[in-house]
Amino acid sequence: MSDLLEISDVSVAFGDARVLDSVSLSVGRGEFVGLVGPNGAGKTTLLRAINGVRAPDDGTVRVDGDRLTDRSTKAWSRRVATVPQDTGVSFAFDVEAVVEMGRAPHRRRTQFGTSERDRRRVEDALELTNTADLRDRPIDELSGGERQRVFVARALAQDTPLLALDEPTASLDVNHQVEILRLVSDLVGDGRAALAAIHDLELAARFCDRLALLSNGRIRAVGPPESVLRSDALDPAFETTTAVATNPVTGTPAVTAGADRSGDDGRRVHVVGGGRVGSRAIASLQRAGHEPSAGVLRSGDLALETAASLDVPVATTPAAGPVDPDAVAAAHELTADASVVVLADVEVGPRQWALDLADGAPAVVLLEERPLADRLHGGERARERYETLRHRATTADPEALPSAVESAVGTIERPADD
């Protein structure tokens, strides 16, 4: 795969502020690269250096072997099409006219009117972005999401080998975000290349071939999504803690970001139960500054991946077969100094070890997503024990778990009435 875009040691400064510092990056033909990083990292400035809006102070930008500095603005616009972050407009052009503006770099000075080729490109762009039904509407009457799709259509009508997109999913609802990124991914399969600044890390991981992590004006990591979306790279770049697991539906990295750990005021909390609910519980407790542990969790469980990414102590057992008694013993050791045990939509089997862990805890919080009947496999005795536990437990939604932990601890720390 040959490189279509080559960025070599590009630096840009605004006064004394150095926004880009010796950035180098390449994008191959047929490749969709996502540019990720915190606000203010320099993503928009890099895209502007690529499309010629802001010439680099140092370094070179090449597209298809041609240097930016060797080509006129019009000639460069036949190589790079841009979807800007700001889709505000000053005049009430109708949608079709806005999309047709993408054909301007291809028109000769002597050309009058719209050629058949121009009409085909505009029509294709409208259809591909599902904006054909908006063609006669004034652009300033559209919602932000609709305008975003129109500007993507304009870039497609420009018919360039390289697409530079600055937050192309901004203002879009979830289904249109997926549509646009899937469209870009399909387009690069025709020999184009795309570089897009994307704030949603999970969407970037799902649709991009590679990611480039930009922070403080420098590229910190480049590679396949699973090699870039790692806590050791993300935490210093975003100045927060992150948990990285695998999305069970897409199989791509899923990132949970939160505030810096406080460390001093946190509670020791043990989470029993895996899957999505257990994973969210572990990440939520860690973000709130608590000290979670977890288990028993089976190998391959989403909650186990989350625990591993956050260096959370965990008791594990093989993916199949009976739960290892040594793992249950390890879980009891983890709960020995815990203030709270969280039963996260837990399955209760014949051995009822999960209930044993909760029975010995000073306080218990229940996270219940499924009906108890769907999780209970230990007979009537297990049901009676769970119901007894429920009477003294605090029941909470996963998003409210940190405050539920404090509430549960408060019930055991509050002095009894005289």
Side-chain angles (χ1 to χ4, degrees):
M1 179 175 59
S2 60
D3 291 335
L4 180 65
L5 171 65
E6 299 172 85
I7 305 165
S8 302
D9 297 320
V10 164
S11 296
V12 175
F14 295 96
D16 294 332
R18 199 173 181 86
V19 181
L20 297 177
D21 188 2
S22 298
V23 170
S24 295
L25 180 67
S26 63
V27 181
R29 297 178 188 277
E31 191 176 33
F32 183 9
V33 174
L35 192 60
V36 299
N39 292 337
K43 300 188 296 295
T44 295
T45 300
L46 180 57
L47 291 174
R48 288 176 175 171
I50 292 167
N51 65 24
V53 172
R54 172 61 165 90
D57 297 322
D58 295 296
T60 59
V61 175
R62 288 184 173 87
V63 173
D64 206 12
D66 293 331
R67 290 200 313 176
L68 168 62
T69 52
D70 293 339
R71 297 292 171 179
S72 67
T73 299
K74 186 172 183 179
W76 198 251
S77 296
R78 292 195 291 269
R79 287 160 175 76
V80 184
T82 302
V83 177
Q85 187 176 131
D86 181 8
T87 58
V89 292
S90 301
F91 301 97
F93 295 106
D94 62 52
V95 165
E96 187 169 4
V98 172
V99 176
E100 192 174 329
M101 291 175 188
R103 299 302 302 162
H106 299 276
R107 289 178 172 166
R108 301 182 304 275
R109 291 182 179 179
T110 57
Q111 179 180 333
F112 296 97
T114 304
S115 68
E116 181 59 30
R117 180 182 176 85
D118 289 344
R119 278 191 289 270
R120 286 200 308 270
R121 295 298 187 193
V122 169
E123 196 62 37
D124 288 346
L126 289 167
E127 292 295 332
L128 284 169
T129 55
N130 293 318
T131 52
D133 59 335
L134 304 174
R135 67 170 72 237
D136 297 322
R137 291 184 58 186
I139 187 73
D140 61 348
E141 292 182 5
L142 302 184
S143 68
E146 288 171 331
R147 284 201 308 272
Q148 194 75 14
R149 285 190 286 146
V150 170
F151 276 81
V152 172
R154 186 183 71 174
L156 297 184
Q158 200 167 328
D159 193 26
T160 60
L162 177 66
L163 293 173
L165 306 102
D166 194 0
E167 303 290 1
T169 58
S171 305
L172 297 180
D173 52 28
V174 174
N175 62 318
H176 285 125
Q177 289 178 9
V178 171
E179 283 181 11
I180 290 297
L181 293 181
R182 182 176 288 128
L183 171 60
V184 174
S185 182
D186 290 342
L187 287 170
V188 301
D190 293 333
R192 294 181 176 90
L195 178 65
I198 302 174
H199 75 276
D200 189 312
L201 299 179
E202 291 191 36
L203 281 176
R206 180 177 173 184
F207 289 100
C208 296
D209 301 300
R210 288 190 301 142
L211 300 181
L213 175 61
L214 186 66
S215 174
N216 292 323
R218 292 188 174 186
I219 298 290
R220 306 296 176 174
V222 180
E226 60 272 16
S227 72
V228 173
L229 299 183
R230 298 169 55 90
S231 293
D232 56 359
L234 296 174
D235 288 7
F238 286 90
E239 298 182 351
T240 186
T241 58
T242 58
V244 183
T246 301
N247 186 307
V249 177
T250 64
T252 53
V255 180
T256 301
D260 292 331
R261 300 174 187 145
S262 61
D264 296 331
D265 301 324
R267 308 283 184 180
R268 270 285 292 113
V269 184
H270 187 80
V271 177
V272 185
R276 184 172 58 85
V277 178
S279 175
R280 291 170 64 191
I282 294 167
S284 175
L285 291 166
Q286 184 84 318
R287 285 199 306 270
H290 295 301
E291 298 178 32
S293 57
V296 176
L297 296 175
R298 292 191 179 274
S299 298
D301 193 295
L302 177 63
L304 181 57
E305 293 189 30
T306 300
S309 72
L310 292 172
D311 294 327
V312 167
V314 61
T316 63
T317 194
V323 173
D324 186 345
D326 289 341
V328 175
H332 275 284
E333 290 184 11
L334 289 172
T335 58
D337 63 344
S339 301
V340 181
V341 165
V342 176
L343 296 186
D345 206 43
V346 72
E347 301 267 352
V348 181
R351 291 173 57 194
Q352 302 174 30
W353 57 264
L355 299 183
D356 293 340
L357 291 172
D359 280 344
V364 178
V365 174
L366 300 181
L367 303 179
E368 300 179 308
E369 187 171 83
R370 295 171 294 167
L372 178 58
D374 293 348
R375 300 181 280 115
L376 195 64
H377 314 293
E380 182 62 21
R381 174 58 181 153
R383 187 191 66 77
E384 290 176 356
R385 288 187 67 192
Y386 191 94
E387 292 295 350
T388 299
L389 191 65
R390 181 181 275 156
H391 284 303
R392 77 174 180 94
T394 300
T395 302
D397 180 89
E399 297 302 323
L401 178 57
S403 59
V405 164
E406 292 302 327
S407 177
V409 171
T411 63
I412 61 175
E413 293 181 345
R414 189 177 302 119
D417 292 336
D418 293 329

